[in-house]
Amino acid sequence: MKEIILINIAGDDKPGLTASITQILSAYEVNILDIGQSVIHDTLSLGILVEVPAAAESSPILKDVLFKVHELGFSVRFSPIDIEDYEHWVQGQGKARHIITLLSRQITALHLSALTDIVAKHGLNIDRIERLSGRVSLTHENSEKSKACVEFSVRGSLADMASFRSELMQLANQHDVDVAIQEDNMFRRNRRLVVFDMDSTLIEAEVIDELAKAAGVGEQVAEITERAMQGELDFQASFRERVALLKGLDESVLAGIAKNLPVTEGAEKLVSTLKQLGYKTAILSGGFNYFGQYLQKMLGIDYVYANDLEIVDGKVTGNVNSTIVDGARKAELLREIAQREGISLDQAIAVGDGANDLPMLSIAGLGIAFRAKPLVKESAKQSISTLGLDGILYLLGIGDRYAIKEQSQVESGKL
């Protein structure tokens, strides 16, 4: 009769353990049913689920493993597994799987306790936990730009996804963390296009507000901008109203504002990494082409779609030369780019902060509300508020050890 045995080995990490143990198992023609290993602070934990052939006996196998493990300075535990229990475990592999990502500047036991309590309450099993963020030094003062991320792979059917998401959002709001949940399907690891809003997303400013300050109408325009981003005003009407207030502004002002655009934390690292991975990127902005094209050149963005600010004789006329890029147009442009690149919308990521970004966030396979207005954060499937734009890499399962190091183009938050 076949035997199934779980072998658990633990101790100080050193090379050669797995090779030594599997050599012993291979000598007895043992079948490996499952294997997993993790290392935390140089302490290794190795689990091997083995099937002992019917013609063999487990005693000499376990004896040889025990001697080798002790020789290498590890501890070992053997657990017999009932065939019926094993088959029940096998059947569980067909259950739905989700990835839950916990992000913050710092993750505490309280955060993990609150999250895992919700997971358990909804009947989900945690199969894997992995830290995606880099290690944190305790001897050097941590930067306010520190990052922490833990990814959970969970298994089980969610009877009430809406309730589950609601509880995760409450947790995020209460503890100042971000929590994302995604179905663990083939599209999660096969994204190919990322489209960004520009103002208050790729840059930490609303360009039209900066132009308005230079034109002496800052307060008037800022008030209209805020109401439009909150979804209180029709975007096209409010945009024309704001642009009209810029009439007479000297063209030279645009260059000065462009040179001092405050690029959002993590933007360059994110775009550089995406380019290395073969992603296409685009700016879909309700702002102005002049500034979008400036960012395109500096960051290496593939596409830019925004509004043309009419300038005659070196002066802003207060008119727009093109079809206004509002929410509906952003969604239309996302579809056009995806079709042009031969990419499914499920492979697209959209990132934005305002109400006019919701249409594109809703049709993208991964829609992310970034440091967004409350209405947008509540409506989008995913949101990031605590970290920079490079936190998006965590949602793609890309840990810090894989990400491209940030270059020196952006200094002190400015290009």
Side-chain angles (χ1 to χ4, degrees), residues 208-252:
I208 196 167
D209 290 351
E210 300 304 310
L211 292 171
K213 290 175 187 177
V217 291
E219 291 186 7
Q220 293 170 261
V221 168
E223 181 182 352
I224 299 170
T225 298
E226 180 62 23
R227 292 180 64 194
M229 292 301 100
Q230 294 285 1
E232 297 175 8
L233 299 175
D234 173 74
F235 182 82
Q236 288 214 20
S238 66
F239 184 74
R240 292 187 186 281
E241 182 181 354
R242 286 176 288 168
V243 172
L245 291 170
L246 302 179
K247 184 177 180 179
L249 183 66
D250 195 276
E251 182 181 12
S252 62

Side-chain angles (χ1 to χ4, degrees), residues 119-377:
V119 169
K121 174 183 172 182
H122 285 265
L124 300 176
N125 288 354
I126 298 174
D127 283 342
R128 177 181 55 80
I129 302 175
E130 182 179 359
R131 172 181 53 83
L132 297 183
S133 51
R135 296 170 181 170
V136 178
S137 171
L138 297 179
T139 58
H140 295 85
E141 185 176 346
N142 292 329
S143 166
E144 62 179 12
K145 302 298 185 184
S146 63
K147 299 178 297 180
C149 177
V150 177
E151 180 184 274
F152 300 79
S153 175
V154 301
R155 170 173 41 88
S157 300
L158 275 166
D160 191 345
M161 175 62 85
S163 174
F164 187 63
R165 286 187 179 277
S166 176
E167 290 184 44
L168 293 181
M169 180 172 287
Q170 289 176 26
L171 182 156
N173 293 335
Q174 181 178 352
H175 296 289
D176 194 26
V177 297
D178 294 315
V179 185
I181 177 168
Q182 305 174 65
E183 184 180 352
D184 192 9
N185 57 30
M186 64 178 182
F187 292 115
R188 178 175 177 265
R189 302 182 185 279
N190 193 30
R191 312 289 188 193
R192 284 293 174 264
L193 168 67
V194 185
V195 299
F196 300 94
D197 172 46
M198 180 173 67
D199 298 61
S200 296
T201 299
L202 272 180
I203 57 173
E204 295 178 334
E206 292 285 338
V207 170
I208 196 167
D209 290 351
E210 300 304 310
L211 292 171
K213 290 175 187 177
V217 291
E219 291 186 7
Q220 293 170 261
V221 168
E223 181 182 352
I224 299 170
T225 298
E226 180 62 23
R227 292 180 64 194
M229 292 301 100
Q230 294 285 1
E232 297 175 8
L233 299 175
D234 173 74
F235 182 82
Q236 288 214 20
S238 66
F239 184 74
R240 292 187 186 281
E241 182 181 354
R242 286 176 288 168
V243 172
L245 291 170
L246 302 179
K247 184 177 180 179
L249 183 66
D250 195 276
E251 182 181 12
S252 62
V253 173
L254 276 67
I257 291 175
K259 290 179 182 178
N260 290 285
L261 289 176
V263 176
T264 300
E265 172 196 354
E268 188 184 16
K269 179 179 178 181
L270 172 62
V271 175
S272 297
T273 304
L274 293 174
K275 288 178 65 178
Q276 290 288 326
L277 294 173
Y279 280 68
K280 292 295 183 179
T281 55
I283 293 174
L284 306 183
S285 173
F288 301 109
N289 266 319
Y290 182 95
F291 303 96
Q293 290 165 1
Y294 187 90
L295 286 172
Q296 178 183 32
K297 181 179 179 181
M298 298 304 296
L299 296 177
I301 302 289
D302 295 297
Y303 298 97
V304 173
Y305 293 92
N307 302 300
D308 288 325
L309 187 61
E310 185 179 71
I311 298 174
V312 176
D313 296 331
K315 299 290 183 179
V316 173
T317 66
N319 298 318
V320 179
N321 275 337
S322 57
T323 301
I324 292 176
V325 179
D326 58 5
R329 179 60 178 154
K330 287 188 178 188
E332 182 183 341
L333 288 166
L334 171 53
R335 288 192 179 93
E336 288 180 6
I337 296 171
Q339 185 176 18
R340 187 179 311 160
E341 295 293 340
I343 294 169
S344 162
L345 285 175
D346 285 320
Q347 295 176 282
I349 301 170
V351 188
D353 74 298
N356 64 321
D357 296 312
L358 282 173
M360 71 174 184
L361 297 186
S362 67
I363 66 170
L366 179 60
I368 303 170
F370 179 74
R371 297 181 183 176
K373 311 300 185 290
L375 171 67
V376 183
K377 189 174 180 179

Side-chain angles (χ1 to χ4, degrees), residues 356-407:
N356 64 321
D357 296 312
L358 282 173
M360 71 174 184
L361 297 186
S362 67
I363 66 170
L366 179 60
I368 303 170
F370 179 74
R371 297 181 183 176
K373 311 300 185 290
L375 171 67
V376 183
K377 189 174 180 179
E378 291 171 9
S379 302
K381 288 184 179 180
Q382 316 296 347
S383 67
I384 294 179
S385 298
T386 62
L387 302 184
L389 278 171
D390 53 341
I392 291 171
L393 295 172
Y394 294 143
L395 300 192
L396 303 180
I398 301 173
D400 285 350
R401 65 179 179 272
Y402 301 118
I404 308 301
K405 296 295 184 182
E406 195 157 1
Q407 304 299 314

